[in-house]
Amino acid sequence: MLEIYAGKNALKTIQEQGFKQELFTNFLGASGGPKWFILFGLDKYLFGDFFKNRSAELNLIGSSAGAFRAAALTQNDPVQAIERLAYTYANTVYSAKPSPQEISKQAVFIVDQLFAENGTNEIINNNVFKAHFLVAKCNGLTSFDNKIMQGAGLINSMLLNKIDRRLLGKQYQRYIFQHPNSNLIIKDPYNFSNVYETLTPDNIKSALLASGSIPMVMSGIKDIKGSKNGTYRDGGIIDYHFDFSLSSNRSDKQRTSKRSPENGTTESRHELTLYPHFSSEPKAGWFDKSSSRKVLASSYENTVLLAPSEKFIQSLPYGKIPDRTDFTKLDAPTRIKYWLKVLEETDKLAECFNEFVIKQDITKIKAFQP
């Protein structure tokens, strides 16, 4: 039902010390819209049980849907917050042909429901579970909301990415909106420019909305307070499923974009990343979704990836994970019934992971091989 993969350093550490929550310092959440519903049961178990009594900090890093999960899981009652997010999103209904403005307006409603009365303060003041939202600042034609101009910019992005992922840096800049006391550093082998901004009550909702603002589908977020003026969009443009490594050495922050993971001195096989994901084959960026490009093994050396098995996916209604095309392929009542059933079924993945943790059957972990 649940497959577990580990990079070489992570696997060695677990073989030596067992599988325990203390080994993890980072938690990743990928883009993918409603695909994250397949992880709902795991999220509830991980933050309602596995990490429940944790005292050491855990960095939660997410782009798009992963950022929304990070915003939920860093609140005082993470299980209640992730349930609010899941059920609000699952019950979302649009008109037959929604405009970007309509979809963006609904996103604002989802964020407001997610944050409830005190979510902002709870996230910012949580010194154990620290939220980080990844956002792409757009340059050139991609910064326009006009669909013709934006579309031309995106076609150019696709071509640049096909030549070399590094060339996307001409059009996009990675912004990391992070907890006020975060020391996290993204060590990117592709040398995207990283800008670290502190989450505040004035920018947290805008940063989260930006992280989920899908190009052509939603309006870009303009001029986030405290950040450089411009258009900010979906973090998945650069970081769809991630192709970087993580460090928590504050002194590296200013030079991180010039250093490769191989040259870093702060990597430790005891500083692991837990990554529940809907696929065992992550893609680096949004423009890699249909490409054969694989992530680098070096980016996942310290990562444990949890993914549903193909057999479990086939057992779901329609034999697939929910995705955004369900909005157009299914009528609203059918889609909502399907999505709610998936949310219910994902408790089985949590039960499977709990059994693994109790039995400590390390032999079930597979070596991660991109």
Side-chain angles (χ1 to χ4, degrees):
M1 239 182 244
L2 181 69
E3 295 178 344
I4 305 174
Y5 299 86
K8 66 176 184 179
N9 290 348
L11 184 57
K12 184 177 181 182
T13 299
I14 292 166
Q15 288 170 338
E16 292 174 352
Q17 301 185 39
F19 195 99
K20 51 189 179 182
Q21 64 91 6
E22 294 88 347
L23 295 178
F24 297 98
T25 57
N26 304 305
F27 180 91
L28 282 177
S31 301
K35 291 178 182 178
W36 82 266
F37 284 172
I38 198 72
L39 307 173
F40 178 60
L42 280 171
D43 281 350
K44 289 189 296 177
Y45 170 77
L46 288 169
F47 288 85
D49 193 327
F50 188 65
F51 289 125
K52 185 175 182 179
N53 297 315
R54 187 181 176 92
S55 57
E57 71 174 38
L58 183 75
N59 296 305
L60 286 81
I61 306 100
S63 62
S64 198
F68 277 67
R69 289 166 61 211
L73 298 172
T74 51
Q75 293 185 39
N76 291 352
D77 190 336
V79 173
Q80 187 180 82
I82 202 73
E83 287 176 342
R84 284 201 306 273
L85 174 61
Y87 293 119
T88 303
Y89 188 10
N91 285 284
T92 294
V93 177
Y94 299 113
S95 61
K97 292 184 178 180
S99 66
Q101 293 75 24
E102 179 184 346
I103 297 173
S104 295
K105 183 178 180 180
Q106 184 62 31
V108 171
F109 174 76
I110 292 171
V111 168
D112 286 341
Q113 294 299 302
L114 168 59
F115 278 67
E117 293 182 3
N118 202 39
T120 294
N121 291 329
E122 291 176 7
I123 295 167
I124 290 174
N125 294 320
N126 193 336
N127 286 311
V128 175
F129 301 107
K130 298 183 176 181
H132 302 72
F133 307 152
L134 301 183
V135 177
K137 184 176 184 296
C138 300
N139 299 314
L141 292 176
T142 61
S143 66
F144 289 89
D145 279 337
N146 177 282
K147 286 196 172 183
I148 294 176
M149 299 175 74
Q150 187 185 160
L154 293 171
I155 290 171
N156 190 41
S157 299
M158 181 177 65
L159 295 173
L160 290 173
N161 183 71
K162 191 170 184 178
I163 297 168
D164 189 334
R165 174 168 159 79
R166 292 174 178 82
L167 295 177
L168 285 178
K170 295 178 177 292
Q171 289 184 298
Y172 306 99
Q173 189 174 20
R174 178 190 287 123
Y175 269 64
I176 304 102
F177 288 88
Q178 62 180 16
H179 185 278
N181 296 325
S182 172
N183 295 327
L184 183 78
I185 302 149
I186 291 177
K187 305 179 77 174
D188 185 354
Y190 297 97
N191 292 322
F192 279 92
S193 171
N194 290 336
V195 177
Y196 297 85
E197 297 281 8
T198 299
L199 287 170
T200 70
D202 291 328
N203 71 16
I204 189 168
K205 287 188 175 182
S206 294
L208 185 57
L209 286 167
S211 187
S213 292
I214 307 166
M216 301 294 285
V217 176
M218 301 170 67
S219 305
I221 302 300
K222 306 290 186 182
D223 309 336
I224 297 176
K225 192 162 185 177
S227 302
K228 190 174 180 180
N229 285 351
T231 302
Y232 296 81
R233 299 191 191 278
D234 200 305
I237 294 172
I238 300 173
D239 299 306
Y240 190 57
H241 299 165
F242 315 113
D243 196 357
F244 54 58
S245 59
L246 299 164
S247 174
S248 57
N249 188 331
R250 184 192 296 270
S251 64
D252 277 356
K253 186 165 288 188
Q254 298 304 318
R255 56 183 184 275
T256 181
S257 63
K258 299 180 181 179
R259 297 179 63 182
S260 67
E262 291 80 6
N263 295 329
T265 58
T266 61
E267 291 287 337
S268 166
R269 57 189 174 92
H270 303 300
E271 207 175 311
L272 306 186
T273 297
L274 186 61
Y275 184 14
H277 190 33
F278 50 79
S279 170
S280 59
E281 299 180 0
K283 296 289 187 177
W286 197 51
F287 297 102
D288 296 315
K289 286 192 292 185
S290 58
S291 79
S292 59
R293 177 180 291 146
K294 296 182 180 294
V295 296
L296 301 176
S298 59
S299 296
Y300 284 78
E301 287 180 343
N302 295 317
T303 299
V304 174
L305 187 148
L306 311 177
S309 68
E310 186 59 33
K311 183 178 180 180
F312 178 74
I313 293 172
Q314 290 298 318
S315 74
L316 299 173
Y318 306 103
K320 72 175 191 67
I321 295 172
D323 62 67
R324 284 196 301 111
T325 66
D326 297 335
F327 279 112
T328 54
K329 291 181 178 179
L330 301 173
D331 62 71
T334 302
R335 172 184 55 79
I336 292 170
K337 182 180 178 181
Y338 159 42
W339 283 8
L340 294 179
K341 180 62 176 176
V342 170
L343 292 174
E344 179 185 325
E345 289 294 302
T346 62
D347 284 342
K348 294 176 182 177
L349 295 181
E351 291 166 5
C352 188
F353 183 67
N354 180 52
E355 182 179 358
F356 164 76
V357 173
I358 291 170
K359 292 184 176 179
Q360 290 288 305
D361 187 359
I362 307 304
T363 61
K364 288 190 175 181
I365 302 178
K366 304 173 185 180
F368 179 76
Q369 297 177 332

